[in-house]
């Protein structure tokens, strides 16, 4: 895939900028990257703190697929970023928490927000993959709730990578993984996801907004990326990551 970088010093949200560009017909491979975001957001409309020092970017894709397969792109993005960071930082301790948060020792180091736009005919028009990597944001200045849950990669792993280096490496890996997925389907992505995940086998509580809807053991990931959870009574329920999130250990 050919990437074309559009760099900004400050934007509301790189996902929002990418949406606006895609609406104007921007092609696949455009990457919107900003030093800081004033309105960065995550899944479930959560605020995503995005000061200078982190890597905040969004990729425009135009896959010709059925909309029900778009969730696979979120998983493949998680796989590509996890592989990149493991290689760069030389650690297998970076793991994927379902669906695609990257954790380092229980602290979040990357979040991914994929958003799809359909045409009037309900085909996929474009997909925006927004990725936030805590390369080296000033953790001391972060809000308390972020400090409790997130960590800077450089600081934790004692490396000094620039955001440009990390972006370059992620784009190379993303391109390879995307190509593999287009040629060979989702199997290989799922098996890499399973290899690097820290969710399967764990006790989880499924949350809709902040309401607990189901507790049990995460037993499997289905072909579309939904998480299968089994409770103590043996009842199984499958959860799609568009609507819910999970917490561990209940
Ligand atoms: C999450 O963990 O809930 C997803 C966080 C995604 C954050 C990235 S930063 C770049 C892009 N722009 C945004 O506003 N969000 C994504």
């Amino acid at each position: 895939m050919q990437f074309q970088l559009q760099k900004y010093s400050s934007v509301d949200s790189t996902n929002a900028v990418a949406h606006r560009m895609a609406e104007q017909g921007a092609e696949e491979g455009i990457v919107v990257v900003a030093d800081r975001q004033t309105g960065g957001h995550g899944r479930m409309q959560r605020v995503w703190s995005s000061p200078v020092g982190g890597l905040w970017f969004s990729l425009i894709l135009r896959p010709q697929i059925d909309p029900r397969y778009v969730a696979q792109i979120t998983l493949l993005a998680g796989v590509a970023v996890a592989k990149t960071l493991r290689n760069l930082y030389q650690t297998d301790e970076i793991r994927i928490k379902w669906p695609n948060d990257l954790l380092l020792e229980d602290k979040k180091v990357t979040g991914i927000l994929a958003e799809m736009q359909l045409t009037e005919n309900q085909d996929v028009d474009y997909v925006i993959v927004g990725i936030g990597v805590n390369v080296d944001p000033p953790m001391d200045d972060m809000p308390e709730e972020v400090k409790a849950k997130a960590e800077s990669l450089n600081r934790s792993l004692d490396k000094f990578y620039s955001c440009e280096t990390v972006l370059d490496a992620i784009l190379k890996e993303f391109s390879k993984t995307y190509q593999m997925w287009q040629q060979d389907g989702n199997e290989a992505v799922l098996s890499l996801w399973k290899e690097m995940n820290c969710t399967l086998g764990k006790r989880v509580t499924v949350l809709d907004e902040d309401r607990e809807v189901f507790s049990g053991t995460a037993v499997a990931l289905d072909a579309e990326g939904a998480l299968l959870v089994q409770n103590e009574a043996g009842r199984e329920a499958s959860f799609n990551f568009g609507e819910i999130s999970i917490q561990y250990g209940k």
Side-chain angles (χ1 to χ4, degrees):
M1 186 187 292
Q2 291 295 323
F3 295 109
Q4 203 188 310
L5 263 57
Q6 304 272 348
K7 294 188 188 178
Y8 297 86
S9 53
S10 178
V11 295
D12 49 355
S13 149
T14 55
N15 265 36
V17 174
H19 269 290
R20 296 195 283 267
M21 292 176 76
E23 285 300 326
Q24 302 294 315
E27 61 198 40
E28 170 157 292
I30 293 211
V31 180
V32 178
V33 53
D35 294 337
R36 63 191 274 271
Q37 301 182 109
T38 52
H41 55 271
R43 296 171 58 237
M44 323 275 155
Q45 278 88 50
R46 291 185 185 127
V47 171
W48 181 263
S49 297
S50 323
V52 173
L55 171 60
W56 325 121
F57 72 101
S58 303
L59 198 59
I60 299 177
L61 301 176
R62 293 194 182 269
Q64 289 172 3
I65 53 168
D66 188 292
R68 70 173 185 274
Y69 299 132
V70 166
Q72 297 177 359
I73 294 180
T74 315
L75 293 181
L76 87 80
V79 163
V81 181
K83 268 181 91 177
T84 310
L85 298 179
R86 282 173 162 219
N87 281 339
L88 269 180
Y89 286 93
Q90 311 222 301
T91 173
D92 290 347
E93 296 300 312
I94 295 169
R95 295 183 206 284
I96 311 174
K97 176 185 168 189
W98 182 86
N100 54 8
D101 287 349
L102 300 192
L103 305 186
L104 172 67
E105 287 163 3
D106 295 335
K107 295 281 188 92
K108 186 152 162 170
V109 289
T110 295
I112 300 176
L113 177 66
E115 298 176 304
M116 153 175 82
Q117 183 65 44
L118 298 177
T119 63
E120 277 176 11
N121 300 332
Q122 304 300 304
D123 295 323
V124 176
D125 186 2
Y126 60 84
V127 177
I128 305 295
V129 182
I131 302 180
V133 187
N134 293 335
V135 176
D136 200 9
M139 292 311 296
D140 296 340
D141 301 344
M142 291 280 203
E144 287 304 321
E145 66 274 16
V146 176
K147 265 195 251 180
K149 289 196 210 146
E151 196 39 283
S152 133
L153 281 161
N154 278 359
R155 195 165 85 165
S156 314
L157 296 167
D158 208 19
K159 299 269 197 275
F160 299 94
Y161 290 119
S162 69
C163 290
E164 287 74 21
T165 303
V166 178
L167 175 62
D168 190 51
I170 290 176
L171 292 179
K172 287 202 176 94
E173 191 61 53
F174 185 91
S175 179
K176 276 200 260 171
T177 315
Y178 191 60
Q179 210 177 356
M180 175 186 81
W181 172 76
Q182 284 181 319
Q183 278 167 7
D184 308 335
N186 204 32
E187 283 292 299
V189 171
L190 287 180
S191 89
L192 286 167
W193 189 96
K194 286 175 190 164
E195 238 172 79
M196 297 190 282
N197 95 94
C198 59
T199 300
L200 297 179
K202 295 271 170 57
R203 294 275 310 157
V204 301
T205 296
V206 178
L207 306 171
D208 181 0
E209 305 280 317
D210 284 327
R211 200 170 49 88
E212 299 187 0
V213 289
F214 199 79
S215 286
T217 304
V219 286
L221 184 76
D222 79 10
E224 300 332 320
L227 188 69
L228 208 65
V229 182
Q230 187 177 56
N231 72 7
E232 270 158 18
R235 189 163 83 79
E236 283 190 347
S238 144
F239 296 95
N240 178 314
F241 57 78
E243 293 110 42
I244 61 123
S245 100
I246 59 165
Q247 71 189 26
Y248 288 139
K250 277 203 178 172

